Amino acid sequence: MSSDSCNSRHFSWLMKSCFPNPQHHHHPHGPHPLTPTSAAALLRRQTTISSLPDDLLLECLSRVPHSFLPSLPLVCRRWSELLDSPTFHSLRRRHNLLRVTLFAISISDHSSLSTASLCLNYESAWRVSSFLHHGSFLSLFSHSRLVAIGRRIYVIGRTAMLRYDTWTGAAVSLPGPVASRKKFATAVVAGKIYVAGGCARSEAVEEYDPESETWRVVSMAPRKRYGCFGASVDGVFYVIGGLRIGSLGNEGLVVPGSRAKGSDAAAHVYASSMDLYDVAASQWLRSRTVPGGGCVVAACAAAGFVFVLSSHAVELSFWKFNGARKSSGFGEWYRIRAPPLPAQVRLDSTVRFGCVAVGEKVVLIQVTGCIDDLLRRSGRTERGLKEGLVLVYDCATGDWSRGVDLPEAIRHAACVSVEY
């Protein structure tokens, strides 16, 4: 069963063999002498997959074709727990069966949760689904952030969180961060979720443990940021860009262009800075500055690097930071080829980007702003590209390519990748 061409007959045997055979009975007067043929038949009846130890069972489950994976947790609790283990993930990687899928999630004010998924190397169109979530707090997710652990996506709002299972489509309500946050940084380090920034009242960095489903404060950030981005490489939580939260400007923010003394300089420093938190050592490393002096508009981590997209009002620059702490190049910046935006795209405050690592690739998604509107404002009459533009950067070759545009049914979405 090494490909998706595996037929359902073999898979049905795999599931049925997890349960005892009800037609097999022991003779009340003891065993009868067995012929070689009958002994082999009895051995086949007694050796079911449920009798295998965990390591052998995991070896079998790890070879199941990708299309059958969503059904496996439904067989029994034991299978469900094994499928959540790191060993299952490692075996899938060893057998070269892992697939990385890009997910976009949008939550409306009408208690509707919409998702779209795309497996870059195997699919040519997004798969869209939508369902109602019976909850009165979905407005808290207007500026949510997404992270993924295993097959589950965590949608983190201001004070609430949803856990979405990409296999079953089930969404479960969970407690959100203790501090109310908006447009904050988040990333996963060693199987736990970390959030920082987006809170005017506290510099607290919080950690979420999926096993205990609890939040706790682990540190105080060196700066209060709003609109920042998160990434993680080699055990370090990166808090990147954003605006300074202070006493100046609207909503307590120091904003570029304000007339307050020193506000332009403060906004510039925060917009291009990066703080590094060593999770294992519980300490902050030396902060870094993104070269070029632009404003960070998107960031993610892939292939041992932190990738940062910066805006310079009329153009974009693209950088990568070496996050491998044991390498001689740790801490070095490299300017790489900027995304080749179509000529119709005019950068302004209405255009937003999402940056997601998908395996050894970086996917850039235009998640808000309408290019048609920009064309009308610029006086151009030809139709441009709609929002949802997807560009893919190959970390190995350094090449950009055009991806499949985000579906019209799920605009203004937050994006994340899931590997299984």
Side-chain angles (χ1 to χ4, degrees):
M1 296 188 293
S2 59
S3 68
D4 281 0
S5 62
C6 173
N7 60 57
S8 59
R9 177 183 177 184
H10 292 159
F11 183 64
S12 298
W13 171 85
L14 180 65
M15 295 182 63
K16 291 179 180 178
S17 65
C18 186
F19 305 98
N21 186 352
Q23 297 180 348
H24 175 64
H25 301 284
H26 293 285
H27 196 279
H29 303 294
H32 288 279
L34 298 176
T35 64
T37 303
S38 60
L42 179 60
L43 181 61
R44 285 196 299 269
R45 288 197 299 268
Q46 290 179 337
T47 308
T48 64
I49 197 170
S50 61
S51 65
L52 296 177
D54 287 352
D55 56 343
L56 293 181
L57 179 55
L58 274 168
E59 187 67 45
C60 294
L61 296 179
S62 67
R63 298 173 183 269
V64 171
H66 187 272
S67 58
F68 289 120
L69 289 179
S71 303
L72 296 184
L74 305 178
V75 175
C76 62
R77 179 177 296 181
R78 181 189 178 201
W79 283 31
S80 179
E81 292 175 351
L82 289 176
L83 293 168
D84 282 336
S85 67
T87 304
F88 174 76
H89 188 86
S90 299
L91 288 171
R92 295 283 293 179
R93 182 183 301 278
R94 182 186 305 170
H95 299 315
N96 198 29
L97 293 175
L98 278 179
R99 288 191 183 180
V100 185
T101 303
L102 181 63
F103 278 84
I105 295 183
S106 176
I107 299 178
S108 73
D109 294 333
H110 305 290
S111 299
S112 175
L113 189 151
S114 300
T115 68
S117 63
L118 176 69
C119 192
L120 292 180
N121 297 329
Y122 296 90
E123 296 174 336
S124 58
W126 290 83
R127 297 184 180 183
V128 181
S129 61
S130 179
F131 62 92
L132 293 178
H133 184 273
H134 301 288
S136 59
F137 61 90
L138 292 183
S139 61
L140 298 174
F141 293 92
S142 57
H143 296 283
S144 59
R145 302 296 199 195
L146 304 186
V147 294
I149 301 177
R151 70 175 191 264
R152 296 181 177 87
I153 296 174
Y154 292 81
V155 186
I156 310 171
R158 292 199 295 270
T159 57
M161 184 165 64
L162 291 177
R163 186 183 64 208
Y164 174 76
D165 192 317
T166 59
W167 289 6
T168 65
V172 178
S173 302
L174 296 171
V178 177
S180 178
R181 301 176 187 271
K182 185 178 180 181
K183 294 186 177 181
F184 51 90
T186 184
V188 174
V189 182
K192 296 182 180 180
I193 301 172
Y194 293 84
V195 297
C199 180
R201 297 182 179 181
S202 174
E203 303 96 337
V205 177
E206 295 184 60
E207 173 196 85
Y208 178 78
D209 186 342
E211 293 187 3
S212 61
E213 297 185 353
T214 57
W215 290 90
R216 71 184 183 102
V217 175
V218 293
S219 182
M220 293 294 167
R223 323 180 208 217
K224 289 184 181 180
R225 300 172 182 262
Y226 175 85
C228 47
F229 305 92
S232 67
V233 177
D234 203 5
V236 175
F237 174 34
Y238 292 81
V239 184
I240 312 167
L243 300 176
R244 174 184 176 183
I245 299 179
S247 59
L248 305 175
N250 186 31
E251 295 184 359
L253 306 179
V254 175
V255 296
S258 66
R259 297 182 179 179
K261 183 178 180 180
S263 62
D264 286 345
H268 174 79
V269 169
Y270 275 63
S272 60
S273 66
M274 184 170 70
D275 292 330
L276 293 70
Y277 179 65
D278 186 334
V279 170
S282 300
Q283 65 180 12
W284 293 89
L285 307 179
R286 180 172 66 88
S287 297
R288 308 299 174 114
T289 300
V290 181
C295 176
V296 176
V297 295
C300 70
F305 291 88
V306 177
F307 290 84
V308 175
L309 183 70
S310 293
S311 173
H312 305 269
V314 295
E315 65 177 359
L316 296 174
S317 64
F318 197 43
W319 304 83
K320 67 177 183 179
F321 174 88
N322 189 340
R325 291 193 284 172
K326 294 183 179 180
S327 70
S328 59
F330 172 67
E332 294 185 4
W333 287 97
Y334 306 88
R335 183 162 187 168
I336 51 183
R337 183 185 172 193
L341 296 179
Q344 299 94 330
V345 177
R346 300 294 183 87
L347 297 176
D348 67 6
S349 60
T350 67
V351 180
R352 297 288 185 272
F353 296 97
C355 192
V356 183
V358 183
E360 297 295 311
K361 298 179 180 180
V362 173
V363 177
L364 188 67
I365 304 174
Q366 181 199 351
V367 290
T368 61
C370 181
I371 297 178
D372 285 340
D373 291 340
L374 300 179
L375 289 172
R376 285 193 292 270
R377 288 203 298 271
S378 65
R380 299 175 64 178
T381 56
E382 67 268 28
R383 288 186 59 83
L385 300 169
K386 292 184 180 296
E387 62 179 335
L389 171 72
V390 175
L391 297 173
V392 181
Y393 176 79
D394 191 316
C395 300
T397 65
D399 297 327
W400 285 95
S401 60
R402 182 71 182 271
V404 183
D405 289 357
L406 199 65
E408 293 186 9
I410 183 166
R411 301 304 194 195
H412 311 289
C415 301
V416 71
S417 66
V418 177
E419 187 178 53
Y420 56 84

